[in-house]
């Protein structure tokens, strides 16, 4: 959990320094959430990504699928978002 918590702190720190996190920044965090099985955390990261105007790419959706693989409602949400 330490890796996810530390990575999660980086996004606000980047914004404070005038650096806008991009898709790669968010995908790194989504990847870490997926590796650790943190599906709910990945969903929050995905929502935060969109709330800050960062457009998910193909990799974002693939990482989301991996993180939420056992959650049918989350997979349905991803499908609708990807259309």
């Amino acid at each position: 959990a330490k890796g996810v918590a530390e990575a999660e702190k980086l996004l606000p720190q980047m914004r404070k320094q005038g650096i806008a996190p991009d898709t790669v920044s968010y995908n790194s965090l989504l990847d870490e959430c997926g590796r650790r099985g943190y599906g709910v955390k990945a969903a929050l990261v995905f929502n935060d990504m969109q709330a800050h105007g960062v457009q998910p790419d193909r990799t974002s959706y693939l990482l989301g699928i991996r993180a939420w693989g056992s959650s049918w409602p989350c997979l349905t949400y991803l499908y609708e978002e990807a259309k």
Side-chain angles (χ1 to χ4, degrees):
K2 186 177 180 183
V4 172
E6 287 180 9
E8 203 171 20
K9 290 177 187 176
L10 288 176
L11 300 178
Q13 289 175 357
M14 289 173 69
R15 284 187 203 96
K16 279 184 180 179
Q17 295 179 4
I19 303 167
D22 59 7
T23 306
V24 174
S25 306
Y26 279 100
N27 285 352
S28 297
L29 186 50
L30 285 169
D31 184 41
E32 189 65 23
C33 289
R35 288 176 189 270
R36 296 178 184 266
Y38 297 158
V40 173
K41 178 73 74 179
L44 295 172
V45 170
F46 198 86
N47 286 338
D48 184 64
M49 177 182 200
Q50 293 180 308
H52 282 93
V54 179
Q55 195 66 18
D57 63 6
R58 180 180 294 181
T59 301
S60 308
Y61 288 105
L62 291 173
L63 293 169
I65 288 168
R66 185 174 73 185
W68 305 328
S70 62
S71 172
W72 185 250
C74 288
L75 290 173
T76 303
Y77 169 78
L78 267 183
Y79 174 76
E80 291 300 321
E81 284 293 311
K83 283 187 187 178

